Amino acid sequence: MNIEKIEEEIRRLKEEKNAIILVHNYQRPEIQDIADLLGDSLGLSKEAAKTDADMIVFCGVSFMAETAKILSPDKKVLQPSLGAGCELANKITAQDVKVLKQKYPDARVVSYVNTTADVKAESDVCCTSANAVNVVRNIEADRVIFVPDRNLASYVQRFVDKEVIPWDGGYCYVHEYITKEEVLKAKEKYPDAVILVHPECNPSVIDIADKVLSTGGMVNLARESDNKRFLIGTEEGIIYRLKKENPEKEFYPAGRKRFCWDMKMTTLKDVYLCLLDEQYEISLPKGIVDSAKRALEAMLQYT
Ligand code: SF4
């Protein structure tokens, strides 16, 4: 089948099965182009929960599809590419969180949404990169265990008086390895460009950024800003979206192009087969869904 035929079949199957296709900002361009909803992981899952779709196809990585299942337990949630995981989410287990809780019994646990359902279930509250500072600031505790991203933990620590206890082994390789030197070199090439970086970047990169934003924050700022040029310090996939939505503006990687290989695993053929064969379905134990949902819902009270 050629690409046009695959796209046609995807549209047909989607209608036949009353399915909705959610696509993360880091996915391949051709996957972004077939999205019903394009965005960040939590925003997508929240929107999907509001629709009357019977089936959710989540083009992203596994913790995102799990989050959609947690928020829509009665819908069929499918992930087109079975192997697409998140190296950051996989750096901590529920058992690790239990050990941390024993070590710091007076602390509350805030887990980034980039965690498995099991880790969310062990947490007091979840957060996103956009609301992490507010969640930690507003939670009733003087000490907060923040998992799993140590760079996001250190970013949050800049804005709060309380102690933020990071998970030392936790980082996202895509953001961790963006260097200050390459960002400065890109800035030399485009001196009028605004530097936007994700808070998963390491602190030396955060220090030289003009703005530190979630992917959703980057999309909004690019739309609203009068600036014409931007250097983007996150996974390269979002640049396709930024250019498409703002054709009169220029977007460049802040240094080398950075790829999340798990995000790039999903192909159009995978989405077609996913809808055709209803594979691969996310299934979680009810106890985990209930506890993880409680942590996700608790986030709303602190933002
Ligand atoms: S970019 Fe990093 S945090 Fe996002 S899915 Fe890939 S490995 Fe995980």
Side-chain angles (χ1 to χ4, degrees), residues 9-22:
E9 280 299 292
I10 288 172
R11 281 193 293 274
R12 182 184 68 74
L13 287 165
K14 205 173 66 169
E15 198 155 318
E16 185 185 303
K17 304 198 175 190
N18 191 25
I20 186 168
I21 300 180
L22 311 187

Side-chain angles (χ1 to χ4, degrees), residues 4-47:
E4 287 74 24
K5 184 68 187 159
I6 293 179
E7 286 173 347
E8 191 186 315
E9 280 299 292
I10 288 172
R11 281 193 293 274
R12 182 184 68 74
L13 287 165
K14 205 173 66 169
E15 198 155 318
E16 185 185 303
K17 304 198 175 190
N18 191 25
I20 186 168
I21 300 180
L22 311 187
V23 176
H24 189 270
N25 289 320
Y26 295 160
Q27 291 280 294
R28 295 164 183 264
E30 63 273 24
I31 304 294
Q32 295 193 26
D33 286 343
I34 53 151
D36 292 306
L37 293 170
L38 177 63
D40 59 36
S41 57
L42 188 64
L44 288 172
S45 294
K46 278 160 111 176
E47 286 304 312

